[in-house]
Amino acid sequence: MNKKYYGKVVYDLSHPGRRGYSLPQNNLGDGLAQIPSDLLRTEAPRLPEIDEPSLVRHYNNLSTNNFGVDTGFYPLGSCTMKYNPKLNEELCSLPQWQGLHPLQPAETVQGALHAYHALGKALCEIGGMGAFTLNPYAGAHGELTGLMVIRAYHESRGDGKRTKVIVPDSAHGTNPASAAVAGLKVVEVKSLPDGTIDTEALRGLLDDSVAAVMMTNPNTVGIFESSIPEIAEMVHACGALLYYDGANLNPLLGIARPGDMGFDVMHINLHKTFSTPHGGGGPGSGPVGVRKGLEEFLPSPMVAEVEEGPFGATYKVVRPEKSLGRISAWLGNFAVELRALAYILSLGRDGLMLAGPLATLNANYVKESLRHLYKLPIDRVCKHEFVFDGLADKSTGVTTLHVAKRLLDHGFHAPTIYFPLLFHESLMIEPTETESIETLDDFIAAMEEIAREAASDPETVKNAPLETPVRRPDDTAAALEPKVSYFDL
């Protein structure tokens, strides 16, 4: 790390008279005369004055402080952070894609519409659904869209009294949030000690006011919900629909399909399961699939395949009569969709069928290697992720937060902590199928070292991280009094 540049902002490197650019002379005359005086600046903008080499070094040095899947292991639970193949980046960056405009006539963008349609068909096959829209921008946006489809379905039948959505107490936080945004009332159903839904408790909540039940499978603690067929029968018997939160689809790839389990609506996070960029607020993509019979309620526009002509199939953009209407600017995050299609086509059926078993193998390997040092509240074979309830030895006061912070000193991103809320000291770990055994062994060794250190030198762990560029920012102050400008400092 270059300490000269670390911790500085570009204004700190500014010196009067320095320039990092050269602009041609103005040969267009006095354009300022055409601008109303009340729109003109009265003072010059406060811009930094800096030479180009210093500017380039400044931003390159800052970039080396970032952590991502290209720099290290990201064991986040419930937030699959797998490697993003560079082939996908190259393909979506081809100038033939980059130069397109969403409002071009359909006959001039047949390749793009074909790609959109092909991805939708692939997701239908993977999810066991009848149709998909790729328009939602992220997983939570997909949840909202799926719930809007469910509302539209009930309203089309004149069944306006269905205003409740049931979510498990272990659900991702976006589930109840999406339901609330959709104008639906959230009802919580309790989980059993092993983290699965209490089917008897669910049965008591089902009536003709329930619009849907939202579930994640495997659930948030990484356990497969084996009662899905019974739950689906109960939900459908009361006239409600079953919604699948696709955040944890990764371990099911090629093994099981939500549609076959009885789910009516689902979303898929392309930025999790299909290895597209993830984090920093985007870019994301949350396609929504529906079983046959619900296609007409999906948002528009949609891409439809036209009868084959002399040069093969052609595609057009359509707006179904009963559609929700538009929920995004056009056809979603197209560059992300291209990456996901490249991932699916490059792996093929056989490759995709390896992803789930390998993710499950990696998770169980890490779990079993650390169970003697960390408390394992659910002692079962997990799928892609698992949850520890902090250290097994809590006598020295070292918490899950301390363990997570200390991991940063070992060069690993921290796992998800304090979620799910089922356990007081949740430490949620998800090693994806793309991680090697050497990486997993290094992570296990770091976790073992932290556990030993917690017993022999707890103050060091409690004061971690010790070697990161930024140690312990005040998250509360950052939220209450954000510094959004250099001049706020």
Side-chain angles (χ1 to χ4, degrees):
M1 179 178 62
N2 190 327
K3 294 183 181 294
K4 177 179 179 182
Y5 291 95
Y6 163 68
K8 290 181 178 290
V9 296
V10 71
Y11 282 92
D12 295 331
L13 304 175
S14 178
H15 296 278
R18 298 256 176 106
R19 293 288 183 272
Y21 62 88
S22 176
L23 298 177
Q25 290 186 346
N26 177 14
N27 296 319
L28 301 177
D30 187 9
L32 294 180
Q34 308 301 318
I35 301 176
S37 59
D38 60 331
L39 297 181
L40 291 174
R41 285 181 175 274
T42 57
E43 297 179 1
R46 298 174 66 183
L47 300 176
E49 300 179 64
I50 183 172
D51 58 277
E52 183 176 335
S54 295
L55 184 67
V56 170
R57 290 166 187 161
H58 170 72
Y59 283 112
N60 272 283
N61 277 283
L62 286 181
S63 72
T64 63
N65 293 321
N66 289 338
F67 193 100
V69 290
D70 286 352
T71 60
F73 178 36
Y74 239 116
L76 285 178
S78 268
C79 220
T80 309
M81 298 289 281
K82 63 171 76 174
Y83 174 71
N84 305 149
K86 297 303 171 275
L87 172 65
N88 304 353
E89 303 300 315
E90 293 178 17
L91 289 176
C92 79
S93 298
L94 291 173
Q96 292 89 335
W97 301 120
Q98 295 290 316
L100 298 182
H101 191 283
L103 297 183
Q104 282 182 236
E107 59 269 21
T108 69
V109 289
Q110 284 295 297
L113 297 182
H114 184 187
Y116 184 99
H117 190 264
L119 178 58
K121 286 184 66 175
L123 296 181
C124 283
E125 179 65 24
I126 290 167
M129 291 284 143
F132 259 90
T133 174
L134 311 184
N135 297 10
Y137 285 136
H141 194 196
E143 287 177 12
L144 175 61
T145 301
L147 289 166
M148 291 167 67
V149 167
I150 290 171
R151 283 199 66 164
Y153 162 74
H154 289 307
E155 289 171 359
S156 73
R157 297 162 49 247
D159 197 354
K161 64 182 176 297
R162 295 187 179 272
T163 58
K164 297 178 182 177
V165 172
I166 298 175
V167 299
D169 55 5
S170 64
H172 299 126
T174 52
N175 286 185
S178 298
V181 172
L184 297 163
K185 181 181 178 181
V186 179
V187 178
E188 184 179 88
V189 60
K190 297 296 182 183
S191 297
L192 297 171
D194 66 356
T196 59
I197 285 183
D198 185 334
T199 54
E200 289 308 308
L202 176 62
R203 193 185 306 275
L205 297 173
L206 293 172
D207 57 31
D208 61 3
S209 68
V210 176
V213 175
M214 300 183 78
M215 291 185 64
T216 306
N217 194 30
N219 60 25
T220 310
V221 294
I223 302 299
F224 188 85
E225 294 273 0
S226 57
S227 298
I228 288 291
E230 178 187 356
I231 291 172
E233 185 177 353
M234 290 163 49
V235 171
H236 293 149
C238 85
L241 298 183
L242 193 57
Y243 182 95
Y244 180 77
D245 178 340
N248 292 351
L249 180 65
N250 202 48
L252 299 188
L253 283 181
I255 305 300
R257 308 193 306 174
D260 297 339
M261 300 176 197
F263 287 95
D264 303 289
V265 181
M266 69 178 293
H267 84 268
I268 291 177
N269 294 344
L270 296 186
H271 50 285
K272 293 184 180 182
T273 309
F274 296 102
S275 200
T276 66
H278 185 184
S285 184
V288 170
V290 295
R291 63 163 170 78
K292 292 187 182 301
L294 297 175
E295 303 99 321
E296 60 185 340
F297 302 110
L298 288 171
S300 63
M302 298 181 69
V303 175
E305 185 176 3
V306 183
E307 187 175 336
E308 287 206 16
F311 303 105
T314 56
Y315 302 87
K316 64 179 181 179
V317 177
V318 298
R319 296 169 177 79
E321 182 180 348
K322 293 185 180 180
S323 166
L324 294 174
R326 185 173 294 183
I327 52 92
S328 59
W330 191 239
L331 292 173
N333 238 332
F334 186 61
V336 175
E337 295 158 11
L338 285 176
R339 290 176 171 94
L341 180 60
Y343 178 75
I344 292 171
L345 294 179
S346 60
L347 285 182
R349 183 185 298 270
D350 292 343
L352 284 175
M353 290 182 70
L354 285 174
L358 287 175
T360 300
L361 176 64
N362 283 353
N364 282 280
Y365 177 67
V366 175
K367 171 174 66 72
E368 293 301 314
S369 299
L370 293 172
R371 59 182 297 158
H372 63 296
L373 293 172
Y374 292 84
K375 183 179 179 181
L376 185 63
I378 299 177
D379 190 5
R380 286 179 55 184
V381 173
C382 67
K383 294 305 176 187
H384 63 304
E385 65 188 5
F386 61 92
V387 182
F388 285 132
D389 189 6
L391 285 161
D393 178 8
K394 295 180 170 59
S395 62
T396 60
V398 173
T399 67
T400 282
L401 176 63
H402 298 141
V403 172
K405 294 291 187 182
R406 188 57 169 155
L407 264 175
L408 303 178
D409 288 328
H410 287 268
F412 295 104
H413 195 282
T416 301
I417 61 174
Y418 298 115
F419 178 80
L421 303 178
L422 298 175
F423 314 113
H424 185 63
E425 288 288 323
S426 288
L427 186 69
M428 194 177 190
I429 298 173
E430 179 184 359
T432 68
E433 75 280 2
T434 51
E435 299 298 340
S436 68
I437 191 170
E438 290 80 13
T439 297
L440 299 182
D441 284 342
D442 287 345
F443 175 73
I444 291 166
M447 291 287 284
E448 290 174 336
E449 174 61 26
I450 293 169
R452 287 191 290 267
E453 195 175 41
S456 62
D457 186 12
E459 291 308 308
T460 294
V461 184
K462 291 178 182 180
N463 288 314
L466 306 176
E467 300 176 13
T468 53
V470 177
R471 291 193 55 195
R472 289 211 173 194
D474 189 332
D475 295 337
T476 303
L480 296 177
E481 300 178 9
K483 307 297 184 185
V484 298
S485 164
Y486 171 78
F487 303 107
D488 292 335
L489 300 176

